[in-house]
Amino acid sequence: MNTGISLGCDYNPEQWSPDVWREDVALMRQAGVDLVAVNIFGWSNLEPSPGRYHFDDLDEVVGLLHDNGIRVNLGTGTSSPPPWLSTLYPEILPAAADGTVRFPGGRQAWCPSSPVFRDRAYELVDRVAQRYGNHPAVALWHVSNELGCHNALCYCEVSAEAFREWLRSRYRKIETLNEAWGTSFWSQRYGDWAEIQPPRLALSLRNPAQIVDFHRFSSDELLAYYRGEAAILRRHSRTPVTTNFMVTAHIRNLDYWSWAPEMDVIANDHYLDHRLGDPVAELSFAADLTRGLAGGAPWMLMEQSAGAVNWQPHNLTKAPGEMLRNSLTHVARGADSICFFQWRASAQGAEKFHSALLPHAGTDTVAWREVLKLSETLDRIGEVAGTRVQSDVAVLFSWESWWSAEGEARPSQAVRYLDQVHAAHRALRGLGVTTDVVSPDADLSGYRLVVVPCLYMVGDPAAERIADYVRDGGNLLVTFFSGIVDERDRIRLGGYPGAFREVLGVLAEEFAPLLPGREVALSNGATGSLWTERLRTTTAETIATYVDGPLPGVPAITRNAYGAGKAWYVATALDLREVLEDAVRDAGVQTQGNADVEVVRRAGESGSYLFVINHGTDPVEIDATGLDLVTGEPVRGLLNIPGGGVSVIKE
Ligand code: GAL
Ligand code: ZN
């Protein structure tokens, strides 16, 4: 890929006539767009009827982009099959949990396990790869689109059979599966693989271990599909291959820790979600997790919106400067490409009210001027590309815990995994701490502090590595509903929080969740909610107890000396800033900034760069020295940054 931070977008020329393409390319040049994704939804144009291929339009578009010096991020075109395919082969259609079919008419109406779909899609990929595999414009392969956005969990008969196969290779013997799923419960013992079904809708609660395995299977199934496309591309081309992840609050069906190693570059799609309490904090979390998937290396923001989306109940636009701040927050947290969905706002179709770089009203608009401003800023900070984010603190994140902690029957429906992870990340961010978000299986040895929020499901090796990290001098903070089950969703007996009892030096006999809205006071002045537990210390010291609620006098916050390190436990939901402030200080972690003012450092061969992004409305002062690449002004000791402003200081 080029040096510098690239500016890109999805482009759907199929929706427009060739004279518009020419105008588009001219405007792309004006805006400095240098990486364009095409053929994302190309199938019905490329193969208008079975086996009849038509590449003229795509040839022309790719050629046009190339002639204008714009690199192509080439879609394989398979994300949505044409109507003829499901008419010929209705068996490719996916089924919902109640067994009913989901029809075409939207997008992604295909069963991830369908051999018919795979054959036809792979055939198309082969043709596209042969035709464009060595085209000089093609800089990146974009496999399908947001795999699993709508079709991740398919409960059809084809998927049922694939699930059985997957289980057979995981467990080998039916008895092992019976043990893993605890099928003695409710008379669910299987005598033969053929008796097993996906966890389709039932009259009562379903088997939670079966549900977790179905999630694992479903994620693996789409990954296998990805691998198939990637293998074809690699046969015909040496260009890097990726697909766009959806690391975002409302998508949870893919375990990207297992996907990431298969990508040549990590790419994510992210949209501000105004249904969440703090959309900007969530953006930062998603960016940190995407960087975690990239192993700390630079990554691509493959999609975001210039303004409003169209799929939330109330689609807010972005204020002037907001899109630039969003973009620079991604760059600060490791993105080396900023791309958008999409180039030109659609006039028709389900997304006609979705914003784009080029709005319906054209170029004499605030939105267009915002794009030019972003482009200019990215050019100015281009030397940041290739550097890495500096961080001393890690938050552990697990899709398996997300799936399992939110089982149908659990101590409290009000405890949601992602909320608890967000709360930990948000508190650290509010303290001015830059955080990596990594897998429970990651190497933790380089971190001063590791935070483990609500890690409900954890395997023995990860639990041991976490304990070793503390024994060797690390600082750990664990929050409630962690370490409860092993990877079979089987309770770790002997008291909670099973896997972390020893390292934390505590033991809980029972959970005592609180009704939503109910609060408990703590002896240190903090306020707990959602959750308490009948906890006692074994080797830990008590930092705070409950003064009221169901368990007065019982420890709520504890700290344990374990080997050369320290381990904190927080047994209720509270504003974690206070306890984390102590943990951060103990661990000697540097802090700068707060919830409104993000301060993040990227460093590498080209230098050290301090990103300062003021999301608030008031001016602030930040300690910094160097050259502000955004304004071109030198900064000596103190940076004055206005409300809404952004600075990137070359230190
Ligand atoms: C993504 C998708 C794009 C577009 C966008 C709208 O999920 O990949 O094709 O639909 O959302 O926000
Ligand atoms: Zn299926």
Side-chain angles (χ1 to χ4, degrees):
M1 304 291 285
N2 272 10
T3 52
I5 310 276
S6 45
L7 173 62
C9 57
D10 274 30
Y11 179 38
N12 295 298
E14 307 85 3
Q15 299 173 16
W16 304 96
S17 60
D19 51 312
V20 179
W21 303 349
R22 290 186 170 69
E23 184 190 326
D24 283 332
V25 174
L27 287 171
M28 285 173 185
R29 288 182 60 155
Q30 189 191 328
V33 166
D34 58 17
L35 180 66
V36 168
V38 292
N39 197 40
I40 305 298
F41 294 96
W43 197 339
S44 74
N45 284 286
L46 292 187
E47 193 182 0
S49 57
R52 195 167 64 78
Y53 293 90
H54 164 86
F55 285 105
D56 298 359
D57 292 349
L58 188 56
D59 285 353
E60 192 177 337
V61 168
V62 170
L64 198 58
L65 291 165
H66 182 51
D67 293 345
N68 284 275
I70 298 170
R71 293 167 307 142
V72 174
N73 171 12
L74 190 58
T76 55
T78 53
S79 57
S80 238
W84 60 254
L85 189 64
S86 44
T87 306
L88 270 181
Y89 306 103
E91 68 268 34
I92 71 163
L93 294 175
D98 66 355
T100 56
V101 171
R102 288 297 173 267
F103 294 105
R107 66 176 177 185
Q108 223 176 49
W110 50 275
C111 161
S113 301
S114 164
V116 180
F117 178 82
R118 287 192 188 196
D119 281 356
R120 301 305 295 233
Y122 289 166
E123 177 64 31
L124 180 72
V125 176
D126 194 72
R127 306 241 169 189
V128 172
Q130 283 195 42
R131 194 169 188 94
Y132 304 102
N134 297 306
H135 195 294
V138 179
L140 184 65
W141 286 108
H142 184 302
V143 167
S144 191
N145 187 57
E146 292 190 339
L147 285 163
C149 179
H150 312 283
N151 66 347
L153 306 178
C154 179
Y155 298 81
C156 81
E157 222 9 84
V158 176
S159 295
E161 192 47 40
F163 183 42
R164 287 175 204 121
E165 272 313 302
W166 183 92
L167 291 167
R168 218 190 261 267
S169 76
R170 183 176 174 91
Y171 294 111
R172 311 275 165 197
K173 296 206 196 93
I174 195 82
E175 254 331 295
T176 315
L177 174 136
N178 278 314
E179 264 168 49
W181 286 10
T183 56
S184 305
F185 181 80
W186 281 356
S187 181
Q188 292 175 353
R189 180 164 296 279
Y190 295 101
D192 190 273
W193 301 97
E195 297 162 7
I196 301 172
Q197 296 205 24
R200 293 182 174 127
L201 271 198
L203 290 172
S204 69
L205 299 169
R206 297 168 293 170
N207 183 319
Q210 180 182 5
I211 293 177
V212 174
D213 266 347
F214 189 64
H215 273 288
R216 292 183 175 121
F217 154 77
S218 301
S219 175
D220 285 357
E221 199 69 349
L222 277 167
L223 177 56
Y225 173 80
Y226 170 85
R227 261 191 220 116
E229 281 209 21
I232 297 166
L233 296 171
R234 292 197 172 105
R235 260 205 304 281
H236 299 292
S237 170
R238 296 154 80 116
T239 301
V241 181
T242 193
T243 189
N244 41 350
F245 288 178
M246 298 162 286
V247 175
T248 187
H250 63 283
I251 301 281
R252 59 169 209 169
N253 288 328
L254 295 318
D255 182 354
Y256 288 132
W257 293 128
S258 64
W259 287 53
E262 316 248 353
M263 307 292 135
D264 292 333
V265 54
I266 296 293
N268 193 44
D269 293 354
H270 189 270
Y271 294 89
L272 279 189
D273 193 336
H274 292 282
R275 296 167 295 191
L276 303 171
D278 188 344
V280 175
E282 191 276 332
L283 183 159
S284 300
F285 170 77
D288 288 345
L289 174 49
T290 305
R291 185 177 72 256
L293 290 163
W299 50 277
M300 303 180 67
L301 181 69
M302 193 69 103
E303 291 182 21
Q304 68 167 338
S305 66
V309 298
N310 66 321
W311 43 264
Q312 290 171 22
H314 313 285
N315 296 297
L316 309 191
T317 187
K318 296 188 182 180
E322 188 177 353
M323 184 270 273
L324 177 66
R325 288 192 298 279
N326 294 164
S327 302
L328 285 205
T329 304
H330 286 294
V331 176
R333 293 174 188 274
D336 272 5
S337 310
I338 296 295
C339 307
F340 290 78
F341 176 86
Q342 62 176 331
W343 164 251
R344 180 185 277 276
S346 297
Q348 291 179 292
E351 294 183 325
K352 63 183 185 296
F353 292 120
H354 195 290
S355 65
L357 294 178
L358 183 58
H360 291 148
T363 53
D364 185 11
T365 51
V366 170
W368 180 253
R369 288 186 282 275
E370 292 284 299
V371 172
L372 300 184
K373 171 91 189 210
L374 170 68
S375 177
E376 192 193 322
T377 309
L378 294 181
D379 280 350
R380 290 186 178 185
I381 66 168
E383 61 181 81
V384 166
T387 58
R388 289 182 166 235
V389 173
Q390 310 292 298
S391 159
D392 287 336
V393 180
V395 170
L396 303 193
F397 180 81
S398 150
W399 274 275
E400 294 203 333
S401 275
W402 195 352
W403 300 332
S404 52
E406 298 191 10
E408 290 175 331
R410 58 190 203 260
S412 169
Q413 302 273 347
V415 174
R416 281 184 299 265
Y417 175 71
L418 196 63
D419 291 350
Q420 300 309 315
V421 177
H422 281 166
H425 185 271
R426 194 171 56 236
L428 287 160
R429 182 174 171 275
L431 291 170
V433 176
T434 302
T435 308
D436 285 349
V437 180
V438 301
S439 151
D441 296 314
D443 173 13
L444 304 175
S445 56
Y447 294 108
R448 289 174 182 270
L449 173 67
V450 171
V451 178
V452 180
C454 199
L455 191 66
Y456 166 81
M457 175 177 278
V458 62
D460 290 342
E464 277 160 27
R465 211 169 308 112
I466 292 166
D468 288 348
Y469 159 77
V470 182
R471 191 178 299 118
D472 294 345
N475 297 280
L476 177 73
L477 186 142
V478 177
T479 73
F480 66 94
F481 214 37
S482 288
I484 306 300
V485 299
D486 66 14
E487 54 279 280
R488 296 164 300 176
D489 204 17
R490 186 178 197 276
I491 299 281
R492 293 177 174 278
L493 302 177
Y496 318 120
F500 302 123
R501 232 165 29 219
E502 192 191 325
V503 67
L504 296 172
V506 296
L507 186 152
E509 311 170 20
E510 78 179 304
F511 304 134
L514 303 171
L515 287 173
R518 178 81 198 277
E519 293 187 332
V520 283
L522 270 59
S523 58
N524 66 347
T527 304
S529 63
L530 283 182
W531 191 269
T532 63
E533 50 194 37
R534 194 177 297 282
L535 187 75
R536 61 173 185 265
T537 55
T538 51
T539 56
E541 55 173 316
T542 299
I543 304 288
T545 55
Y546 303 106
V547 297
D548 57 14
L551 299 169
V554 165
I557 304 174
T558 61
R559 185 176 57 195
N560 193 34
Y562 185 76
K566 279 183 193 157
W568 304 69
Y569 185 52
V570 180
T572 182
L574 41 76
D575 181 344
L576 287 167
R577 261 175 311 183
E578 199 171 313
V579 46
L580 274 169
E581 198 168 10
D582 293 342
V584 159
R585 194 182 329 102
D586 270 16
V589 173
Q590 299 291 323
T591 66
Q592 210 179 3
N594 56 47
D596 277 343
V597 187
E598 306 210 38
V599 182
V600 179
R601 184 171 280 111
R602 285 182 69 166
E605 272 171 25
S606 57
S608 176
Y609 304 88
L610 194 72
F611 282 73
V612 184
I613 301 161
N614 188 354
H615 298 284
T617 47
D618 296 330
V620 288
E621 290 179 339
I622 293 286
D623 293 335
T625 296
L627 178 70
D628 187 341
L629 297 178
V630 176
T631 58
E633 300 289 331
V635 178
R636 297 192 187 84
L638 208 58
L639 169 73
N640 284 294
I641 182 162
V646 295
S647 284
V648 179
I649 313 296
K650 178 163 195 184
E651 299 181 298

